[in-house]
Amino acid sequence: MRRIVLVALAAVLVLAGCTEKPGEKGKEGGRPAKVDGISTSEGTHKQKIKVGTPGHREFLLHVPAKLADGKWADGKPADPPALVIALHGGLANMGKMEDLTGFDELSDEHGFLAAYPDGFMTTWNAGDCCGAAKIGDIDDVGFLTKLIDKLTGAGLADPKRVYVTGFSNGAGMAYRMACEKPDKVAGIGVVEGALVTECDPGRPVSAMIFHGTADRNVPFNGGGDRDFNDKRPFPPVSRAVDFWRKVAGLPEPRNRVKALSGDTDCASTGKGDRGVAVAFCKINGGTHRWPDEASAMLWDFFADHPRRT
């Protein structure tokens, strides 16, 4: 009886030694199950990341089939894809941003990674806005920087093709990332947001800005309240457009950009010396919402503006 038990135990140990562990090779094309704790299988995965404070932060990561089924070498994609980070608006969350933007479908079609981080108590510290994240002085720049470093450091994303986009409060956070971490971000996409943070980026960043003329939350021509405890008005969207083009030494945006909707009027500065451009899309009659055409237009813009240096 004892011999039978020992033989059975030995068989179990042999099988255990043959079982693939997370991060080990063994799947098609040499793709590991995980890289640095990040799942590489096709689909959307909930991830956690330590940010140096008690607890952790969370984000959703959508992995397209083109990455999962592509060529891998030494546990990393042979051709790391672009990364699009989409930031939800105030009083929303990462799941709502995933549903709102439809970036998963574009990710599957074009092969980029789509990440949807969760704000602090449904808000982002975008400078002078908003809510709990601002009051708590949450280091959201640090959080998003760690997220970028984790994905690029693991070889899962191309560090020269990292883009941050957002809606409303998330759009303000995209501005802040470009202001404070232009070395990490090749371009930003701003939808119904305002530049309400001190900004001295030191280098240009490509930007595509959408804003509705009938937005009452963040008025097109400025106004409203920056926060529940800050009665200063939001600046007009034109101030942000002018700021980013002047940082890059670009002219006013006059080159027409084809839009998917007749209500959207888009123009671009064209590319400057570093390949940087600023595009502005005015949505005539548009309110405080994510336009149906925004995601596809943002991806086309991002794909055409990698960081050159």
Side-chain angles (χ1 to χ4, degrees):
M1 181 66 180
R2 181 181 178 186
R3 183 178 181 182
I4 294 174
V5 172
L6 291 174
V7 171
L9 179 59
V12 169
L13 291 174
V14 169
L15 289 173
C18 295
T19 301
E20 183 182 24
K21 297 179 182 179
E24 290 185 349
K25 297 180 181 180
K27 296 195 175 185
E28 293 182 9
R31 174 173 60 87
K34 292 185 178 181
V35 175
D36 195 16
I38 304 166
S39 178
T40 64
S41 61
E42 177 185 356
T44 301
H45 312 280
K46 187 176 181 179
Q47 304 285 330
K48 297 180 180 180
I49 185 170
K50 294 181 179 179
V51 292
T53 58
H56 60 267
R57 298 292 293 268
E58 295 182 342
F59 64 99
L60 299 176
L61 182 67
H62 185 79
V63 179
K66 289 183 179 181
L67 175 63
D69 297 335
K71 295 182 180 180
W72 292 68
D74 298 324
K76 297 180 179 180
D79 186 17
L83 168 63
V84 175
I85 300 174
L87 308 178
H88 61 76
L91 304 182
N93 57 38
M94 56 189 179
K96 289 185 178 180
M97 191 62 176
E98 181 183 26
D99 294 338
L100 178 68
T101 61
F103 274 128
D104 286 0
E105 291 77 9
L106 289 168
S107 166
D108 290 334
E109 180 181 356
H110 298 285
F112 63 87
L113 285 176
Y116 310 92
D118 232 4
F120 176 77
M121 295 180 67
T122 72
T123 60
W124 298 102
N125 183 3
D128 292 338
C129 180
C130 290
K134 182 192 74 173
I135 293 172
D137 195 24
I138 301 302
D139 185 10
D140 282 325
V141 170
F143 164 41
L144 297 177
T145 300
K146 286 182 181 294
L147 190 158
I148 292 169
D149 288 345
K150 185 175 182 68
L151 294 175
T152 58
L156 295 176
D158 184 349
K160 292 186 177 181
R161 295 190 294 152
V162 175
Y163 308 96
V164 181
T165 184
F167 174 65
S168 191
N169 179 204
M173 190 66 222
Y175 274 140
R176 187 169 187 181
M177 281 298 292
C179 290
E180 299 187 23
K181 295 293 180 179
D183 57 324
K184 299 289 183 180
V185 179
I188 57 172
V190 174
V191 180
E192 308 299 329
L195 177 58
V196 289
T197 187
E198 294 183 6
C199 197
D200 184 16
R203 63 178 297 164
V205 171
S206 291
M208 189 173 207
I209 300 167
F210 289 80
H211 214 108
T213 59
D215 188 337
R216 294 183 178 180
N217 296 64
V218 185
F220 185 87
N221 292 315
D225 297 338
R226 294 191 182 188
D227 209 346
F228 73 94
N229 61 352
D230 188 343
K231 299 302 180 182
R232 290 177 297 167
F234 287 110
V237 64
S238 60
R239 185 177 299 178
V241 176
D242 286 343
F243 176 83
W244 290 107
R245 71 173 183 81
K246 288 178 180 178
V247 168
L250 297 168
E252 293 185 7
R254 292 175 178 170
N255 300 327
R256 309 316 300 172
V257 176
K258 184 178 180 181
L260 302 178
S261 168
D263 295 329
T264 303
D265 183 15
C266 293
S268 172
T269 60
K271 293 182 180 180
D273 294 338
R274 295 191 183 183
V276 171
V278 174
F280 175 47
C281 294
K282 179 175 70 173
I283 307 165
N284 296 303
T287 57
H288 196 71
R289 58 182 294 273
W290 184 276
D292 294 337
E293 68 268 31
S295 297
M297 293 182 68
L298 283 168
W299 169 247
D300 287 344
F301 180 81
F302 291 158
D304 195 38
H305 296 89
R307 189 173 73 239
R308 289 185 179 178
T309 57

